[in-house]
Amino acid sequence: MADMTEKATKKGRVVVKIEMCKGCNLCIEYCKRKVLRSSEELNSMGYHPAEPDEQMQCNACMLCALVCPELAIEVYDE
Amino acid sequence: MKLKNKWPKYYKKDVVTHYCPGCGHGIVHRLVAELMEELDVGKRAICVNPAGCAVLAYKYFDIDMLESAHGRGTAMATGIKRARPDLFVFTYQGDGDLSAIGTAETIHSANRGEHISVIFINNAVYGMTGGQMAPTTLLGMKTTTTPSGRNPGYDGYPLHITDVVATFPGVIYAERVAVDGPAGIQKTKRAIRNAFQTQIDGLGYSIVEVLSACPTNWKMTPAQSFKWITEVMTTEFPLGVLADRRKKG
Ligand SMILES: Cc1ncc(C[n+]2csc(CCOP(=O)(O)OP(=O)(O)O)c2C)c(N)n1
Ligand code: SF4
Ligand code: SF4
Ligand code: SF4
């Protein structure tokens, strides 16, 4: 497990563009690594945007970006 | 670190759409924009968009767009494609637009085998106008005009219009897919790619029906809507390739 975590640490990084996010939570639902959560803050449209919680766990699998209807997610890898 | 998902070239930069949270339209828009780039047709593409929630799609796609009167999309696309066969012409329509008010245009453009592609968003309701029954509404489904559920004795049965046009010899490719999760989204992209490639190869008419969430009118969360598509909507509208006449062309 420790190995996996380390690998994940190196691999991915997720960025949510909070002013484009409508808080639909689909990315949170489909991220298998539970990287994302719903923010307690509101954006200027009045939605609770998604935000990375366990960024270290991200493996850049892209599922969150695939389901995002708003193109509000950027995924980076090495 | 390297960005894995570049913004699609044919989608307006950092646009925020008017769609409700979790609406399937946004996802299908992205897939179409990605394919415009991947198939290199964006510069010669014209999209005919509908009356319905996608009425403002011209504000989002960075390609040439023409707005149709309600339901008349495939008639307009017919004219455009016949006048300019060098262009890549597709419609983007909802189920109210394509299978209610636009039934005649849909049937006859398909039967003529026009060399156009049709993206058909089936969310089982009239979304834009507040969730009234559409021809595609499921039996027993509650809408604002079927408050106690669609009753076949009074309201008739769900219309499977893609299955109807799939029987026409002029329809080269027809598939039904669902935007109900990552796998469904990937399959939807493959289906639209096949439909677009059918036109690029000069083979003729293609249509992709996409079962798509309308969380607002279904009164569900986006995640519940995706699950409902998988578990309930696909039992009325089974997924799969409904016609593939590409090889015979
Ligand atoms: C000639 C005409 N009749 C009625 C309307 C009102 N109207 C606008 S959108 C719509 C239905 C849209 O439903 P659908 O095609 O399923 O698209 P959705 O909004 O669900 O994406 C109707 C009846 C109109 N714009 N024009
Ligand atoms: S890229 Fe994959 S692991 Fe990373 S946040 Fe998105 S869904 Fe989760
Ligand atoms: S899927 Fe997109 S719009 Fe929905 S919560 Fe995640 S980032 Fe926001
Ligand atoms: S009403 Fe339904 S189809 Fe229209 S934008 Fe909202 S969720 Fe999407």
Side-chain angles (χ1 to χ4, degrees), chain B residues 18-25 52-54 123 125-128 130 213-217:
Chain B
H18 70 291
Y19 297 120
C20 310
C23 174
H25 278 301
C53 282
N123 57 19
V125 288
Y126 285 13
M128 183 196 193
C214 177
T216 300
N217 288 303

Side-chain angles (χ1 to χ4, degrees), chain A residues 17-71:
Chain A
K17 302 190 218 170
I18 54 171
E19 284 306 327
M20 294 175 66
C21 172
K22 291 188 188 145
C24 74
N25 293 348
L26 285 169
C27 55
I28 300 171
E29 178 81 16
Y30 287 99
C31 173
K32 292 193 175 127
R33 291 182 158 257
K34 309 230 174 301
V35 174
L36 297 158
R37 68 175 174 199
S38 181
S39 171
E40 294 195 352
E41 309 285 313
L42 293 171
N43 65 14
S44 66
M45 292 187 283
Y47 295 118
H48 290 284
E51 67 180 10
D53 178 24
E54 299 284 343
Q55 184 70 271
M56 306 282 266
Q57 292 296 322
C58 178
N59 67 355
C61 73
M62 298 282 286
L63 291 183
C64 55
L66 190 64
V67 297
C68 178
E70 311 301 331
L71 292 81

